[in-house]
Amino acid sequence: MFETKILGRDDKSVEYAAELLKRGEVVGIPTETVYGLGANAFDENAVRKIFEAKGRPADNPLIVHISELSQIEELVTEIPRLAISCAEKFWAGPLTMIMPKSPRIPMATSGGLDTVGIRMPSDETARKIISACGFPIAAPSANLSGSPSPTSAQHVFNDMNGRIPAIVDGGYCCVGVESTVISFEGRDGIRLLRPGFISVEDLKEVTENVLIDKGVLAMLDENAAVSSPGMKYKHYAPKAEITLIEGNSEQFRNFVKENGNDKTTLMIFEDSDSAGLDFSAVCYGKTSEEQAHKLFDVLRELDNMGAHQVYARCPAKNGVGLAVYNRLLRAAAFRVIKL
Ligand code: AMP
Ligand code: MG
């Protein structure tokens, strides 16, 4: 087996990464959300290598990343009016917009759909790599399919060593959860397919008419026809059995006192949530932004600790909290106890 190279983010490394991508290779790239597994979005063979490296089902579409607004024109057949307002307000940034795809995008990239998800990342290294390539980069999260998304180059290395030639190390991802995914309905409607750092409240500044897709909060059947295919797959699954405990800090402590055993680990906001309790505990942050930033690292840490059974304090469901809740709900296989 060969060893995957970890590159820096200096100009030479960016140039080398672009060389690999031009040759049809797959490279791990940093973005502000999570690390991506990038390949030339126009090159069917290169894109197939992404699916292979991840073990990703072929019907789960990739997001196409651009570095300049003008690139969008050859990717879509139509730009909805609201997409322009959203691009002005939220790009470059963690928002993916679904639009009707042009024939330039191979079906392999769009998972067989006639639409394509497009995003312009704000991460400078990501933008430099895309610019140096001169073509858009298709990239899903750089984890093995089903594992928590990677928020550091080391996470990518742990999952992808020997599967891809190189990873560009851009440091720890500042947002920490994948992009918000939206599609457009009629003249002035937005449908939220996957919550992210750009919140429902943010989107409502563009239009009042924001609908939350049922896949955001509900368990979907693997055979169901869904608007955001990624949502139906088992996701972010750590080895431990996680249960979300919905209640305040005191209720949480009382619940753990009564129900915890020697196999229990706690996933809490801050130390005071486990005050007076004798259980190993991992903090994932007090604010929704902090929780988004740390969530996937903490899920990987729980695996490294060998945690068996985890009681997690349930995040807020508004603002960025909805994104954290959506991911944690899946990591917990939808097990929630309301106190
Ligand atoms: P990942 O980057 O691994 O989180 O995967 C990208 C996710 O974006 C997919 O799993 C889908 O849920 C969503 N997505 C990408 N392209 C489309 C599309 N054309 N239509 C609907 N959802 C999409
Ligand atoms: Mg993913």
Side-chain angles (χ1 to χ4, degrees):
M1 194 179 92
F2 67 91
E3 172 128 332
T4 298
K5 266 190 209 153
I6 299 191
L7 309 170
R9 61 181 121 171
D10 51 286
D11 289 350
K12 246 187 138 167
S13 298
V14 166
E15 224 171 87
Y16 179 63
E19 271 317 305
L20 288 170
L21 289 160
K22 283 180 195 167
R23 274 190 247 146
E25 293 296 339
V26 174
V27 176
I29 54 174
T31 83
E32 71 278 20
T33 57
V34 301
Y35 274 74
L37 267 193
N40 180 351
F42 293 146
D43 180 343
E44 200 172 323
N45 286 327
V47 162
R48 285 194 203 290
K49 290 184 191 169
I50 298 179
F51 285 88
E52 243 169 69
K54 274 186 72 99
R56 184 176 175 101
D59 69 345
N60 195 352
L62 309 180
I63 291 170
V64 174
H65 295 75
I66 57 175
S67 55
E68 271 161 72
L69 210 48
S70 59
Q71 284 177 293
I72 210 173
E73 267 157 41
E74 60 177 335
L75 305 181
V76 304
T77 54
E78 184 201 323
I79 304 177
R81 187 183 63 91
L82 278 185
I84 297 167
S85 318
C86 286
E88 279 169 0
K89 201 164 169 62
F90 304 117
W91 275 3
L95 178 72
T96 298
M97 298 195 268
I98 309 294
M99 294 180 237
K101 92 172 185 64
S102 84
R104 273 293 263 151
I105 309 255
M107 280 295 182
T109 301
S110 68
L113 299 173
D114 53 11
T115 53
V116 58
I118 301 174
R119 177 164 107 81
M120 189 197 289
S122 62
D123 184 272
E124 226 178 277
T125 311
R127 302 262 294 280
K128 277 187 192 164
I129 295 170
I130 303 165
S131 294
C133 285
F135 47 73
I137 302 282
S141 52
N143 51 288
L144 285 173
S145 200
S147 294
S149 295
T151 45
S152 72
Q154 188 60 48
H155 293 165
V156 182
F157 185 83
N158 294 347
D159 279 15
M160 290 296 152
N161 185 24
R163 292 172 174 261
I164 58 172
I167 301 161
V168 176
D169 188 349
Y172 202 93
C173 300
C174 64
V175 170
V177 290
E178 308 88 338
S179 58
T180 304
V181 178
I182 60 170
S183 62
F184 301 97
E185 311 232 309
R187 256 187 74 74
D188 59 8
I190 287 179
R191 178 183 287 267
L192 177 73
L193 302 178
R194 178 174 75 182
F197 193 79
I198 306 294
S199 65
V200 172
E201 293 82 346
D202 292 333
L203 294 168
K204 283 196 170 165
E205 286 175 26
V206 175
T207 172
E208 263 306 302
N209 190 359
V210 179
L211 194 116
I212 300 181
D213 193 82
K214 67 175 192 299
V216 169
L217 294 174
M219 182 158 17
L220 297 171
D221 193 293
E222 287 226 353
N223 300 315
V226 290
S227 12
S228 186
M231 287 304 204
K232 74 181 175 186
Y233 290 107
K234 192 163 177 242
H235 241 93
Y236 322 118
K239 291 178 192 104
E241 185 186 284
I242 300 183
T243 305
L244 298 189
I245 309 298
E246 215 176 315
N248 63 29
S249 185
E250 193 188 339
Q251 290 171 316
F252 179 80
R253 284 196 304 273
N254 289 335
F255 174 87
V256 173
K257 244 184 244 162
E258 275 169 34
N259 297 280
N261 57 46
D262 57 356
K263 287 198 158 74
T264 303
T265 304
L266 308 180
M267 189 171 157
I268 54 181
F269 298 163
E270 52 185 335
D271 287 335
S272 58
D273 293 334
S274 66
L277 299 174
D278 192 21
F279 292 97
S280 56
V282 190
C283 293
Y284 76 110
K286 224 168 137 176
T287 65
S288 297
E289 285 76 11
E290 261 180 86
Q291 291 169 3
H293 184 70
K294 284 194 192 156
L295 178 70
F296 289 132
D297 191 43
V298 163
L299 291 181
R300 283 174 183 257
E301 192 184 330
L302 288 171
D303 276 352
N304 296 338
M305 289 165 68
H308 281 280
Q309 188 225 10
V310 175
Y311 289 133
R313 275 207 72 188
C314 188
K317 294 173 198 168
N318 60 340
V320 181
L322 185 66
V324 180
Y325 180 66
N326 168 274
R327 307 309 190 276
L328 206 41
L329 200 55
R330 282 164 174 77
F334 292 85
R335 278 181 297 268
V336 183
I337 295 176
K338 287 190 184 141
L339 301 179

